[in-house]
Amino acid sequence: IMDRLEDLQARLQAPAAKLKQRRMDRAKREVEKSEEAADLSLQDKYPEIFGPEPPLGSAAGCEGPPADSETRGTDREQEEPPAKKPKGSIVSVNDVQVLLVSLLARIGKEDERQPLSTFRRKLTNLATLPDLPESPELCRDAVETMLGAVGAALRSGDLGQEALATLLSTLRCIETLESPV
């Protein structure tokens, strides 16, 4: 009987090892997928909702809801819009840094020294709130969090041209707001 059991164990050992290896490989793939999904932006995760991206360096998509004629600020209308670089030009870290510092000064905040993942979590949580567009406090928090995320991204270093152009475009969108705070 012992010989039979040992023989059976020996025959089942190889298929059991293969099954165990397949399960471990599947678990690794699932972990990698979840890590990749966590690193994707909302635009990459849900392209059907966000639609096609505007061209790099443009301020398209920054319009926001139309303002009533009563709420339009006369001060903002008299200011000249910032000079924009022609399409296809190279964006430098300095360009993004200068605009970030300008916006932080405009809202009276200093750059928060937190990791990018913290800002990503905050922005994701803010995006899920249905009353975000109607709440000035939540809008202010979203703008401050976005500025902090840009600062954290710049501190992380080694950003490609596309990432820098996207950050610059985002900051320009924030800059076009009548009252970012």
Side-chain angles (χ1 to χ4, degrees):
I1 292 182
M2 289 303 285
D3 289 337
R4 281 187 181 174
L5 288 176
E6 288 174 359
D7 183 49
L8 182 61
Q9 183 181 12
R11 281 192 277 160
L12 292 177
Q13 194 170 18
K18 286 182 184 177
L19 180 62
K20 184 177 180 180
Q21 184 63 37
R22 273 189 281 169
R23 286 181 181 165
M24 290 179 67
D25 291 343
R26 188 179 321 135
K28 283 181 185 177
R29 282 192 305 269
E30 288 175 7
V31 167
E32 288 172 0
K33 277 186 181 180
S34 66
E35 287 174 354
E36 287 175 8
D39 290 342
L40 289 177
S41 69
L42 291 175
Q43 288 86 359
D44 292 339
K45 277 186 181 178
Y46 307 106
E48 65 278 356
I49 294 173
F50 289 100
E53 290 186 21
L56 292 179
S58 73
C62 298
E63 295 83 26
D68 295 337
S69 59
E70 298 173 15
T71 59
R72 287 189 183 143
T74 56
D75 295 339
R76 188 69 180 159
E77 290 173 359
Q78 293 172 355
E79 292 179 20
E80 289 187 23
K84 293 185 180 178
K85 290 191 169 194
K87 290 184 180 183
S89 65
I90 296 176
V91 179
S92 72
V93 173
N94 191 41
D95 295 337
V96 179
Q97 187 71 36
V98 166
L99 189 52
L100 175 64
V101 169
S102 164
L103 288 170
L104 287 170
R106 184 173 165 193
I107 65 170
K109 281 286 217 179
E110 290 194 21
D111 192 15
E112 295 180 41
R113 299 281 179 178
Q114 295 180 10
L116 186 57
S117 59
T118 301
F119 293 113
R120 183 182 299 154
R121 259 193 311 276
K122 282 182 179 179
L123 287 169
T124 303
N125 290 339
L126 285 167
T128 61
L129 299 173
D131 56 340
L132 175 64
E134 292 85 27
S135 172
E137 296 83 24
L138 290 175
C139 287
R140 177 184 174 91
D141 193 29
V143 168
E144 290 174 356
T145 304
M146 191 61 225
L147 293 177
V150 170
L154 289 175
R155 282 190 305 277
S156 71
D158 196 30
L159 296 172
Q161 276 299 305
E162 187 174 344
L164 287 171
T166 302
L167 292 176
L168 187 62
S169 174
T170 301
L171 291 178
R172 285 183 178 155
C173 286
I174 292 172
E175 185 179 38
T176 61
L177 297 174
E178 286 185 29
S179 176
V181 291

